[in-house]
Amino acid sequence: MPRQRAPRRKVTIIGAGNVGATVAQRIVEAGLADVVLLDIVPGLPQGKALDLAEAGPLLGHDVSVIGTNDYADTSDSAVVVVTSGLARQPGMSRDDLLLKNAQIVNNVVEQAAKHSPNSVLVIVTNPLDAMCHVALKASGFPRWRVIGMAGVLDAARFRTFVALELGVSPANTSAFVLGGHGDTMVPIPRYSTVGGVPLTQLLSPDAIERIVERTRNGGAEIVALLKSGSAFYAPGAATAEMVDAILEDRHKILPCSALLKGEYGVDGLYVGVPIRLSRVGVDEIVEVELTEEERAAFQKSAESVRELVATLGTFA
Ligand SMILES: NC(=O)c1ccc[n+]([C@@H]2O[C@H](COP(=O)([O-])OP(=O)(O)OC[C@H]3O[C@@H](n4cnc5c(N)ncnc54)[C@H](O)[C@@H]3O)[C@@H](O)[C@H]2O)c1
């Protein structure tokens, strides 16, 4: 008699490219959930999923990982990660990707939401904050179940540069970033710490400004080095951190793109803010005090997201 294993909780990852496959690898290796990898290209998700499964005996993971081009296989996922779209090429801004990726995200989210109506959507495709608007509309989900990944990555980059500057372990650092994903992101050094000590007591204003600038250009720095494609190891790890917080109901406070309804003085816009992330998605938007200068930088960042959303037309 053929034996069938009872299905475990399931995570669907749409887009089996660099970021999607890396997220899949992290989830599978952590044994977090069964993974379905979906792509529009026949064979690509199937090949990558099989390759990941074949690493199981060596690494000791035993969750199921399958590749598919059919949304029926994604049914009843707890979390759907959207990485499908075009990546930036050198000289191309995130915003150039806007309309092309809006079409793709609209299409994939419509189908994924139909098959997993109770899922939490984690959006990764750029331009990130604008794509969250597209996903919110295409899914018809409440705002707390559509979340964007950007701040976790931006904070990780900031922490990396702080650790390099001070010669300390990256694990010893914490960072606080706000705002849209892109050149207007707003790292807040006085809420960023090393071993609990605010960064402003450990580094000069000039050194902090240098690190802030490098963080803002973190994505572009890697695009320029790679010459084709964009970052995926850190983006994959950042996305997996969010998926873990949702699946394990961790109530972690993480910087993510969430739809604001008056919080931080912004209404009806996805912008990066600290949220409490749990199995329901956004459990709470955490508001902190900002100085006049920080508030102005945050508003400027929100404005640049608003301009992008305006060009989305019927997609948002
Ligand atoms: N939010 C962030 O911080 C962050 C970080 C890194 C990358 N990104 C973005 O993530 C996206 C993916 O990056 P990547 O490096 O993995 O790109 P990639 O080109 O390696 O992979 C994208 C995949 O999407 C697939 N795809 C395209 N249209 C599709 C559709 N209609 N249905 C299903 N699959 C489809 C492609 O076939 C491809 O395999 C890009 O938009 C990139 O800018 C965002």
Side-chain angles (χ1 to χ4, degrees):
M1 190 170 156
R3 293 199 178 173
Q4 288 237 306
R5 184 166 69 62
R8 289 184 245 222
R9 59 193 179 182
K10 191 199 272 188
V11 172
T12 285
I13 299 161
I14 303 179
N18 278 339
V19 176
T22 308
V23 178
Q25 180 182 1
R26 298 211 65 87
I27 293 174
V28 166
E29 287 181 3
L32 261 181
D34 286 344
V35 170
V36 177
L37 197 52
L38 183 144
D39 202 282
I40 198 167
V41 177
L44 178 72
Q46 291 86 346
K48 290 200 179 179
L50 183 59
D51 196 9
L52 279 170
E54 288 168 359
L58 302 168
L59 299 173
H61 57 74
D62 59 6
V63 293
S64 132
V65 48
I66 62 156
T68 185
N69 311 107
D70 182 351
Y71 281 86
D73 294 323
T74 70
S75 290
D76 299 323
S77 294
V79 179
V80 175
V81 177
V82 177
T83 75
S84 51
L86 307 179
R88 270 196 298 171
Q89 301 301 317
M92 194 180 182
S93 81
R94 286 193 183 91
D95 304 352
D96 295 335
L97 295 176
L98 183 69
L99 289 171
K100 190 78 206 143
N101 282 353
Q103 216 165 11
I104 293 173
V105 169
N106 181 62
N107 181 277
V108 305
V109 167
E110 243 175 37
Q111 301 187 67
K114 230 177 273 165
H115 286 88
S116 300
N118 300 314
S119 59
V120 176
L121 294 178
V122 176
I123 309 302
V124 179
T125 306
N126 275 321
L128 191 269
D129 307 284
M131 290 308 113
C132 291
H133 281 268
V134 176
L136 183 75
K137 184 170 181 203
S139 64
F141 285 4
R143 67 166 171 152
W144 57 89
R145 284 204 280 125
V146 181
I147 314 165
M149 188 291 287
V152 178
L153 171 63
D154 295 334
R157 285 181 171 150
F158 188 78
R159 291 172 60 191
T160 305
F161 302 144
V162 166
L164 286 173
E165 183 79 19
L166 288 170
V168 297
S169 163
N172 208 201
T173 63
S174 76
F176 191 94
V177 298
L178 286 173
H181 185 45
D183 311 337
T184 60
M185 79 174 78
V186 188
I188 311 276
R190 69 196 177 93
Y191 286 146
S192 305
T193 63
V194 179
V197 181
L199 200 56
T200 42
Q201 292 188 30
L202 297 170
L203 285 172
S204 68
D206 279 359
I208 290 177
E209 190 45 42
R210 220 182 334 106
I211 289 172
V212 164
E213 212 34 48
R214 192 170 178 195
T215 305
R216 286 209 182 101
N217 296 322
E221 183 177 359
I222 292 191
V223 168
L225 288 166
L226 293 180
K227 306 212 168 51
S228 124
S230 58
F232 54 95
Y233 290 119
T239 308
E241 161 105 351
M242 288 176 63
V243 173
D244 169 82
I246 297 165
L247 289 176
E248 298 294 323
D249 197 28
R250 291 200 195 275
H251 293 253
K252 262 192 185 171
I253 294 181
L254 295 171
C256 301
S257 185
L259 186 75
L260 301 184
K261 293 243 164 137
E263 297 91 352
Y264 288 95
V266 172
D267 196 27
L269 213 56
Y270 268 91
V271 196
V273 289
I275 64 166
R276 182 199 292 260
L277 194 54
S278 75
R279 64 190 302 182
V280 301
V282 181
D283 213 61
E284 181 192 353
I285 290 172
V286 181
E287 285 194 84
V288 298
E289 271 181 38
L290 298 179
T291 63
E292 273 307 305
E293 202 182 331
E294 289 161 355
R295 187 167 283 277
F298 181 79
Q299 290 294 341
K300 189 173 156 221
S301 184
E303 254 341 286
S304 70
V305 177
R306 196 180 292 284
E307 280 167 27
L308 279 189
V309 173
T311 30
L312 279 174
T314 55
F315 284 124

